[in-house]
């Protein structure tokens, strides 16, 4: 990019408290809502008496499941449209947006109280009388599949709502039959909370004259939000205006229209005034969609020389009590795109079972199942090396996809570009891998267990469900430009980088370019939001196309302005020049000169087919374990990534660092635990739920090893989730490497001090003198 990076333009607003999150929106005459939620996991509602709440001071209305049923509200439509195993379709359980006859997880919405103040609404919600008949509950997905387990729905036998398979069953079976060695592992990818900075909130208003709803809510893309609201409520999409300016974190869990938002729309129409609800952190824990929650059994087949012959998986995925829109897709189609990870494995097969339990529904969480794939594959590779007595790096080198093989066809997908051997070599060099054993020996002298681990990976990024990605560029009277996109920024720096892209192409100062993301007053656009590490490929790529259209249109205007023939005009270095002269003009000058009251002659739209790319990387982590306490210290983290062409290095590094931190959270402590008998959430506050902090990794070093993607105009690849995808496996392998001298070769997440300490005690007894 030309020019000097001047910092994120968002930061001045956000760091001085001038940001505008959902809770900051207010409308004249608004009322306030509070939800009554279920305090048990599985029960019939015998009696619901809302009369005491309706009689309380300041109460305007109380809505129940009878109201949402009369409104004809439906279950959120699933994104899975493809058939499963044997051609079966996914079983989507009916979800009443406010529970009527039965509750199926702790935190499920039962009633909405609307009042003149938030406090009055909360107080009245506590007055609602409810009588339950408790039913047996099941929290674990594997337990839910056992014959005789508590059944959530009569029309979903055995709690199994979908089975999905991919790859070649026969070819994979033959590979395993011919194998000289098979390594097997079963890993638990524990349930986690996205826990964005901004709790869930919504403000809904209804205009009876036009029939239009205005809905203010945090989102990862307004097109997804509007489609979700329309799909549930049956209201035409052109009658719903979604608003979001600043969004305090997305991570996948802000990609869907939640039940609360739809109920608030109904409340606004019912009472004839705007209704606002701001959720608490406790509500975030129990009602925001959760992430991960999968158990994965994997097998890796090798020949006598250590060549990988085949790989096979069986996933059991805990979908919760109802299906989120994205949850089934990311637990089936997404993993099917890279089951062989970054290796030459000629045969692959996977079977995924999606199971219903009495827990909060699950959805995409940063990485959206891709960290799970890399975790199981990279742990299998390390374990195979141990079992065979070979070097884990040498085993990887033998099986990596060579650079010259790209584009590379795997058993299930085609990878666009990359250099896996180059990534591995650069990671080993920067991690000082060759000298590690000296550091391990020094740590042992201090009574510490030191380990190093790595993960090589590739992941799918981009694409989506829309037919294309559209953007628009419009010019104002003073030559300033406004960019209209459907991206939903939640900390990525879109307001900075998208103007940089367009400004670089047009030769216009990015400070004169403004981003309007998901603006309901902007031009109608087709596309997706900010999901799947796709923003720079899709929105950035479409903006590049639109900017080139501006340049094309500007050539005729430049000829008029410079009084030259169109054939004599050339565009270079951001300006139009008359060939053979020193006459020139720029886009900004033309924009100002030809401004009009109507559409500007430079206004342009751009579109591209939804792009797909396969970013890759090689990460290494170095850790020390205190055997006396089980505490883990992450000493150094090295990440070498192929994110394609880098547009803004500072923003890219921020995305990678954030992703690494969330991967560390999964490895070291984050865990939403349910009581197995009652299905009550046991870790629903920050007193019980671990969150990584800024000092969790002392030394993070990031390096580029970029190979441009041929699949989009900018040559970029996804970066928003690469940090997490690499960190989970790299950190896991490092901790296991530290514990291997004690005979510990497997440990389930999270690697909390208590869990590590107990594993050490079980492996070696109470004495610790052997560590010194």
């Amino acid at each position: 990019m030309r020019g000097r990076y001047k910092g994120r333009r968002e930061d001045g607003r956000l760091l001085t408290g001038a940001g505008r999150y959902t809770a900051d929106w207010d409308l004249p005459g608004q009322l306030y809502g509070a939800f009554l939620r279920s305090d048990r996991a599985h029960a019939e509602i015998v009696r619901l008496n809302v009369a005491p709440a309706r009689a309380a001071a300041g109460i305007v209305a109380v809505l129940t499941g009878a109201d949402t049923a009369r409104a004809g509200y439906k279950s959120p439509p699933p994104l899975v449209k493809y058939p499963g195993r044997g051609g079966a379709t996914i079983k989507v359980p009916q979800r009443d947006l406010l529970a009527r006859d039965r509750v199926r997880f702790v935190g499920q919405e039962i009633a909405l109280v609307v009042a003149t103040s938030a406090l009055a609404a909360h107080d009245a919600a506590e007055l609602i009388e409810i009588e339950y008949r408790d039913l047996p509950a099941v929290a674990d997905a594997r337990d839910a599949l056992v014959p005789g387990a508590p059944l959530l729905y009569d029309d979903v036998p055995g709690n199994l709502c979908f089975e999905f398979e991919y790859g070649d069953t026969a070819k994979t079976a033959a590979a395993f039959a011919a194998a000289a060695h098979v390594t097997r592992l079963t890993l638990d990818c524990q349930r986690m909370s996205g826990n964005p900075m901004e709790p869930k909130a919504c403000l809904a208003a209804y205009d009876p004259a036009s029939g239009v709803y205005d809905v203010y809510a945090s989102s990862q893309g307004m097109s997804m939000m509007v489609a979700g609201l329309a799909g549930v409520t049956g209201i035409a999409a052109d009658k719903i205006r979604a608003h979001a300016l600043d969004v305090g974190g997305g991570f996948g869990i802000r990609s869907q229209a939640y039940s609360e938002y739809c109920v608030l729309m109904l409340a606004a129409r019912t009472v004839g005034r705007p209704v606002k609800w701001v959720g608490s952190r406790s509500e975030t824990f129990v009602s925001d969609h959760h992430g991960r929650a999968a158990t994965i059994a994997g097998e890796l087949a090798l020949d006598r020389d250590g060549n990988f012959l085949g790989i096979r998986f069986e996933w059991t995925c805990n979908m919760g009590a109802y299906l989120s829109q994205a949850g089934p897709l990311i637990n089936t189609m997404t993993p099917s795109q890279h089951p062989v990870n970054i290796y030459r494995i000629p045969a692959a097969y996977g079977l995924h079972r999606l199971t219903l339990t009495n827990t909060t529904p699950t959805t995409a969480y940063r990485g959206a199942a891709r960290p799970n794939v890399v975790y199981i594959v990279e742990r299998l590779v390390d374990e195979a090396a141990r079992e065979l007595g070979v070097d884990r790096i040498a085993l990887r080198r033998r099986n990596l996809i060579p650079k010259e093989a790209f584009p590379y066809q795997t058993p299930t997908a085609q990878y666009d570009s990359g250099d896996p051997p180059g990534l591995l070599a650069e990671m080993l060099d920067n991690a000082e891998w060759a000298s590690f054993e000296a550091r391990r020996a020094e740590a042992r002298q201090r009574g510490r267990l030191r380990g190093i681990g790595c993960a090589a990976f590739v992941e799918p990024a981009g694409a989506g469900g829309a037919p294309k990605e559209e953007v628009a560029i419009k010019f104002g009277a003073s030559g300033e430009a406004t960019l209209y996109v459907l991206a939903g920024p939640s900390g990525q720096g879109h307001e900075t980088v998208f103007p940089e892209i367009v400004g670089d192409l047009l030769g216009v100062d990015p400070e004169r370019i403004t981003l309007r993301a998901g603006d309901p007053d902007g031009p109608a656009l087709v596309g997706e939001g900010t999901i799947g590490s796709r923003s720079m490929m899709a929105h950035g790529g479409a903006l590049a196309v639109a900017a080139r259209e501006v340049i094309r249109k500007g050539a005729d205007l430049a000829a008029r302005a410079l009084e030259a023939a169109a054939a004599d005009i050339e565009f270079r270095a951001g300006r139009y020049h008359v060939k053979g002269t020193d006459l020139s003009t720029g886009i900004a000058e033309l924009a100002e000169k030809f401004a009009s009251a109507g559409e500007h002659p430079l206004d342009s739209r751009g579109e591209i087919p939804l792009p797909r790319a396969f970013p890759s990387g090689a990460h290494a982590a170095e850790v020390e374990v205190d055997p006396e306490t089980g505490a883990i210290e992450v000493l150094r983290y090295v990440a070498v990534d192929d994110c394609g062409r880098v547009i803004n290095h500072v923003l890219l590094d921020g995305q990678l660092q954030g992703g690494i931190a969330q991967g560390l959270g999964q490895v070291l402590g984050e865990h939403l635990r349910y009581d197995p008998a009652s299905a009550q959430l046991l870790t629903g506050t920050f007193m019980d739920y671990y969150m990584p902090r800024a000092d969790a990794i002392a030394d993070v070093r990031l390096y580029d090893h970029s190979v441009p993607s041929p699949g989009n105009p900018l040559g970029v690849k996804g970066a928003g989730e690469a940090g997490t995808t690499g960190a989970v496996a790299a950190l896991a392998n490092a901790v296991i490497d530290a514990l291997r001298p004690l005979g510990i070769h497997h440990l389930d997440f999270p690697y909390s001090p208590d869990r590590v300490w107990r594993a050490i005690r079980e492996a070696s007894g109470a004495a610790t003198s052997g560590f010194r």
Side-chain angles (χ1 to χ4, degrees):
M1 302 293 293
R2 288 193 293 267
R4 184 175 62 84
Y5 174 63
K6 300 177 182 178
R8 294 199 339 161
R9 65 171 65 182
E10 300 95 325
D11 288 349
R13 180 178 79 251
L14 298 177
L15 294 176
T16 58
R20 196 170 195 184
Y21 299 94
T22 306
D24 297 315
W25 291 96
D26 289 297
L27 295 174
Q30 72 186 23
L31 299 170
Y32 299 85
F35 285 92
L36 171 69
R37 299 181 183 274
S38 171
D39 62 0
R40 56 207 66 200
H42 200 193
E44 294 176 356
I45 298 177
V46 177
R47 185 176 66 91
L48 181 65
N49 180 18
V50 300
R54 285 186 172 136
I59 302 307
V60 178
V62 179
L63 276 66
T64 68
D67 298 294
T68 55
R70 276 193 299 271
Y73 284 9
K74 310 176 185 69
S75 299
L79 297 179
V80 169
K81 308 295 184 184
Y82 43 86
R85 191 181 193 186
T89 57
I90 189 169
K91 296 180 176 68
V92 181
Q94 169 63 32
R95 178 170 187 174
D96 296 320
L97 298 196
L98 294 174
R100 289 191 292 167
D101 304 319
R102 196 165 167 180
V103 293
R104 290 181 171 87
F105 72 95
V106 173
Q108 185 171 356
E109 303 83 4
I110 298 174
L112 170 67
V113 177
V114 180
T116 54
S117 72
L119 287 176
H122 281 283
D123 288 344
E126 295 181 358
L127 299 175
I128 295 175
E129 299 170 356
I130 185 166
E131 180 182 346
Y132 295 105
R133 180 180 295 114
D134 288 323
L135 298 171
V138 60
D140 184 85
R142 289 162 295 184
D143 293 342
L145 294 174
V146 174
L151 194 64
L152 272 74
Y153 303 92
D154 293 337
D155 56 353
V156 185
N159 297 314
L160 182 64
C161 65
F162 196 51
E163 284 188 298
F164 180 78
E165 58 183 351
Y166 51 86
D168 190 319
T169 311
K171 186 176 181 180
T172 306
F176 275 84
H181 182 82
V182 175
T183 293
R184 296 178 174 88
L185 276 176
T186 298
L187 302 176
D188 184 46
C189 300
Q190 79 273 30
R191 179 184 289 255
M192 299 172 66
S193 173
N195 260 324
M197 176 182 71
E198 179 186 15
K200 211 162 36 179
C202 181
L203 170 62
Y206 175 68
D207 177 19
S210 63
V212 169
Y213 294 82
D214 282 277
V215 180
Y216 301 78
S218 58
S219 170
Q220 292 177 233
M222 293 296 101
S223 59
M224 299 187 301
M225 177 63 71
V226 170
L229 295 171
V232 171
T233 64
I235 298 165
D238 62 1
K239 295 295 185 181
I240 302 173
R241 290 163 43 88
H243 307 258
L245 180 58
D246 294 315
V247 176
F251 314 130
I253 67 167
R254 289 291 179 261
S255 60
Q256 180 172 334
Y258 278 96
S259 298
E260 293 96 333
Y261 307 166
C262 301
V263 176
L264 288 161
M265 290 172 65
L266 177 60
R269 189 182 73 186
T270 301
V271 302
R273 293 166 65 181
V275 182
K276 181 177 182 178
W277 164 73
V278 178
S280 66
R281 182 59 61 180
S282 294
E283 287 179 293
T284 293
F285 272 108
V286 298
S287 70
D288 276 18
H289 293 156
H290 295 166
R292 304 289 191 260
T295 300
I296 308 171
E299 301 175 289
L300 178 64
L302 304 91
D303 69 12
R304 295 186 184 280
D305 297 321
N307 297 306
F308 298 162
L309 301 178
I311 198 161
R312 190 159 53 192
F313 304 105
E314 185 173 309
W315 291 45
T316 304
C317 306
N318 192 330
M319 306 312 299
Y322 301 94
L323 296 183
S324 70
Q325 288 184 285
L329 184 141
I330 63 98
N331 278 298
T332 54
M333 186 58 70
T334 302
S336 77
Q337 299 299 300
H338 65 140
V340 301
N341 192 21
I342 204 165
Y343 303 107
R344 291 177 288 112
I345 307 180
Y349 173 76
L351 173 63
H352 295 222
R353 293 187 172 94
L354 308 190
T355 306
L356 298 171
T357 66
N358 295 113
T359 60
T360 301
T362 57
T363 192
Y365 170 67
R366 197 167 192 169
R370 288 164 283 175
N372 296 1
V373 174
V374 175
Y375 175 40
I376 183 66
V377 175
E378 289 301 281
R379 288 290 299 113
L380 281 168
V381 173
D382 260 27
E383 191 63 12
R386 181 190 71 83
E387 293 173 354
L388 293 171
V390 301
D391 181 74
R392 49 189 163 153
I393 298 301
L395 187 61
R396 285 179 169 84
R397 279 201 188 103
R398 173 178 287 273
N399 290 281
L400 285 173
I401 301 167
K403 181 179 182 179
E404 60 271 14
F406 287 87
Y408 182 78
Q409 182 63 50
T410 78
T412 59
Q414 185 178 82
Y415 297 166
D416 59 330
S417 63
D419 179 18
L423 290 166
L424 184 67
E426 190 169 344
M427 177 273 290
L428 294 171
D429 182 52
N430 288 299
E432 301 177 67
W433 192 279
S435 60
F436 169 72
E437 288 304 328
R439 298 194 294 278
R440 190 200 296 270
E442 185 277 331
R444 189 178 183 87
Q445 293 299 313
R446 294 185 284 105
R448 295 292 187 268
L449 300 167
R450 194 166 183 132
I452 193 168
C454 73
F457 67 91
V458 67
E459 58 171 350
K468 58 185 177 181
E469 193 71 52
E470 285 185 324
V471 301
I473 302 177
K474 289 184 171 292
F475 288 86
S478 301
E480 74 281 2
T482 302
L483 313 181
Y484 293 90
V485 302
L486 291 174
S490 54
Q492 296 88 345
H494 290 174
E495 290 179 48
T496 298
V497 72
F498 287 157
E500 284 181 349
I501 291 170
V502 174
D504 188 61
L505 290 168
L506 299 184
V508 174
D509 184 351
E511 297 296 323
R512 301 193 67 189
I513 304 173
T514 302
L515 176 70
R516 300 288 289 273
D519 186 348
D521 295 316
L525 301 172
V526 174
E528 296 277 3
T530 303
I531 54 173
S533 298
R534 65 186 301 276
S535 294
M536 193 56 64
M537 284 188 288
H539 306 116
L543 282 169
V545 171
R548 289 165 188 154
E549 177 64 9
V550 171
I551 293 170
R552 187 193 68 78
K553 290 181 175 180
D556 289 335
L557 300 182
R560 290 164 56 187
L562 298 172
E563 299 180 346
D568 291 331
I569 298 296
E570 61 180 2
F571 186 81
R572 51 184 167 83
R575 293 185 67 80
Y576 295 97
H577 298 263
V578 179
K579 296 176 184 176
T581 76
D582 60 357
L583 297 176
S584 70
T585 188
I587 293 285
E589 294 126 283
L590 293 174
E592 188 170 354
K593 181 178 180 65
F594 291 96
S596 64
E599 184 173 338
H600 197 287
L602 287 176
D603 288 353
S604 299
R605 296 171 73 99
E607 65 177 57
I608 60 172
L610 294 188
R612 164 78 76 187
F614 285 84
S616 53
H619 292 194
E622 195 164 329
V623 304
E624 278 190 2
V625 178
D626 183 348
E628 299 287 352
T629 65
I632 296 170
E633 183 181 1
V634 182
L635 303 172
R636 179 191 299 179
Y637 195 95
V638 170
V640 181
D641 284 278
D642 173 10
C643 299
R645 179 188 170 210
V646 177
I647 303 296
N648 183 308
H649 226 299
V650 174
L651 298 184
L652 171 66
D653 287 354
Q655 287 296 293
L656 290 170
Q657 289 172 347
I660 290 166
Q662 287 187 273
L664 178 141
Q666 178 173 350
V667 175
L668 295 190
E670 292 192 58
H671 191 190
L672 284 167
R673 291 194 302 116
Y674 281 87
D675 180 82
S678 66
Q680 287 284 342
L681 182 62
L682 302 178
T683 53
T685 73
F686 283 135
M687 294 181 66
D688 308 297
Y689 188 88
Y690 171 91
M691 285 287 282
R693 289 169 171 77
D695 61 354
I697 304 179
D699 184 5
V700 178
R701 306 176 190 181
L702 306 178
Y703 303 90
D704 295 330
H705 191 96
S706 297
V707 179
S709 172
N712 64 82
L714 294 175
V716 297
K717 299 177 181 176
E721 292 160 298
T724 307
T725 300
V728 172
L731 286 161
N733 279 337
V735 173
I736 296 300
D737 182 62
L739 298 176
R740 280 201 196 282
L742 305 181
I744 300 171
H745 307 299
H746 173 72
L747 196 63
D748 278 328
F749 285 159
Y751 297 161
S752 62
D754 177 71
R755 184 167 290 188
V756 173
W757 183 85
R758 290 179 184 277
I760 292 172
R761 290 301 171 275
E762 290 174 7
S764 59
T768 60
S769 58
F771 304 138
R772 302 183 185 281

